[in-house]
Amino acid sequence: FAAYFNSLHGAFAQDSDVLVLGDARLHSFTFEHLRAVLNGPYFSAETDHTVYRPLVKLSWLVEYSLLGNEDRPFGYHLVNLLWHALNVLLFWRLCLLAGRQRLLAFFAAAIFALHPANTEAVANIAGRADLMAAGFVLSGLLLYAAGSSERPGYLTLAGIFLCSAGALASKESGIVLLPLMVLFDAAFRADSLRRWRALVPSYATAAAAAICELLVRHAAIGGGRAL
């Protein structure tokens, strides 16, 4: 929080001006605007039909209309910072689970918390997409890592499905959840790869969520209706 405190006083910079202030869909919470957010592109319909990130737009809709942030940037920056703090905690827990070394997990999470590469995502309101996608990916990977590699429970599989779909509904980079699950097994549970049939339900769940999200995306910005 100390490192990113000055970001709370930032303005609507770069794309955030267009994405929040320039998007009329966010300016009042109505059923029609909610449908427009879920069925429309990330940018306004006049500029881009190729990017679909409904969860990010939905978060701004709630902040602008229900929380009353409107054109005051402080609240949006605060939510970004809270997302980053949550991601740091998730990453710390994942490192602790993988290596079981408290000191190593602490310093790994500290590097992740303060690394300059995160500055644009945290300090720019439009960086919300990166933060949310990372949060869903880390949550899904943590659920997978904490679960049994022999027989994952239905709640674990449901969580992986929701995290995979949520990651892709936040940003396209969310597709990395499934490859990260495979890499986690290769790095920390190599013996489980020899029992690959036990891994199929978790892998298939993450893949199914990605396919469903791609179908929703096509329906929303490919000429149909997602909702």
Side-chain angles (χ1 to χ4, degrees), residues 55-88:
L55 285 187
V56 182
K57 301 296 289 190
L58 185 60
S59 74
W60 287 329
L61 174 63
V62 170
E63 286 180 72
Y64 192 104
S65 302
L66 296 185
L67 299 183
N69 287 339
E70 297 183 346
D71 60 351
R72 295 180 289 274
F74 176 85
Y76 303 96
H77 284 296
L78 178 60
V79 172
N80 272 26
L81 184 51
L82 291 174
W83 264 107
H84 181 56
L86 174 62
N87 290 345
V88 171

Side-chain angles (χ1 to χ4, degrees), residues 90-146:
L90 291 170
F91 184 73
W92 165 76
R93 183 60 184 167
L94 183 63
C95 291
L96 189 61
L97 186 65
R100 303 186 184 279
Q101 298 182 40
R102 292 182 179 273
L103 192 61
L104 182 61
F106 172 81
F107 281 108
I111 292 172
F112 176 72
L114 300 175
H115 199 285
N118 292 318
T119 301
E120 183 177 0
V122 180
N124 183 13
I125 294 172
R128 177 80 56 85
D130 295 285
L131 297 172
M132 291 181 65
F136 281 113
V137 168
L138 288 169
S139 297
L141 189 57
L142 186 57
L143 280 172
Y144 177 68

Side-chain angles (χ1 to χ4, degrees), residues 179-193:
L180 286 176
M181 289 164 59
V182 177
L183 288 174
F184 182 88
D185 285 330
F188 302 106
R189 299 192 299 205
D191 58 321
S192 67
L193 293 177

Side-chain angles (χ1 to χ4, degrees), residues 139-140 143-165 177 181 197-209:
S139 297
L143 280 172
Y144 177 68
S148 171
S149 60
E150 296 295 330
R151 186 177 295 177
Y154 291 115
L155 288 178
T156 298
L157 293 177
I160 291 173
F161 184 93
L162 291 175
C163 288
S164 180
L177 177 57
M181 289 164 59
R197 288 183 178 83
L199 304 177
V200 169
S202 297
Y203 290 174
T205 298

